Amino acid sequence: MMALEAPEKRSAFVTATAAGEGIVSACRTAGISRRTARRWLSDPDFAAEVRAARAVVLEQALGRLGSAAVEAVEVLRRLLKASAPSVRLGAARALLEALTRVREHVEISERLAALEKRFMEGSE
């Protein structure tokens, strides 16, 4: 295996760290020493790189979760037509609980956005 150059090692360490690898594992992945890792971890620019990489990872995960959620809802919808009453009841409960949580989240998000808007208008 060919040795990575410093920018490639830093990028590999950023990616590994953003993905949640422990420091020892991330060092191994990037082919760097713990001393180098400590130096990079104390650098505010490095922290910003990790945050940006983590945001990408989270966006990808959210996309996959969204896709899986659509499939999960379809499964629950099919179960609403099952012959066993306990299966129908379980599906109905799951759907209603999910709907309630989503509704609460949307309401909180809207309230927060309104508060932020009022705060920003008041600070101008």
Side-chain angles (χ1 to χ4, degrees):
M1 183 167 73
M2 189 174 183
L4 297 175
E5 295 295 322
E8 293 167 332
K9 288 182 178 187
R10 183 175 171 110
S11 178
F13 189 66
V14 165
T15 302
T17 305
E21 283 189 38
I23 300 305
V24 173
S25 176
C27 286
R28 201 173 308 117
T29 297
I32 62 169
S33 68
R34 288 187 201 171
R35 183 176 172 193
T36 298
R38 282 192 298 274
R39 188 177 74 248
W40 286 349
L41 288 168
S42 68
D43 178 4
D45 289 338
F46 179 83
E49 289 176 54
V50 171
R51 280 193 302 277
R54 190 167 287 142
V56 170
V57 169
L58 288 174
E59 283 298 317
Q60 291 171 344
L62 284 173
R64 290 180 177 170
L65 282 173
S67 176
V70 170
E71 291 178 39
V73 169
E74 289 307 314
V75 168
L76 289 171
R77 286 174 51 116
R78 282 194 299 274
L79 291 175
L80 286 172
K81 298 174 184 166
S83 59
S86 61
V87 172
R88 290 195 315 270
L89 176 61
R93 279 187 178 152
L95 283 168
L96 291 173
E97 287 172 9
L99 176 63
T100 301
R101 278 183 258 139
V102 168
R103 183 173 171 237
E104 288 171 353
H105 178 75
V106 168
E107 287 177 0
I108 290 169
S109 294
E110 288 171 350
R111 291 172 63 191
L112 179 60
L115 286 171
E116 287 174 337
K117 181 179 178 187
R118 284 181 36 206
F119 176 78
M120 294 306 287
E121 289 171 352
S123 65
E124 291 176 359

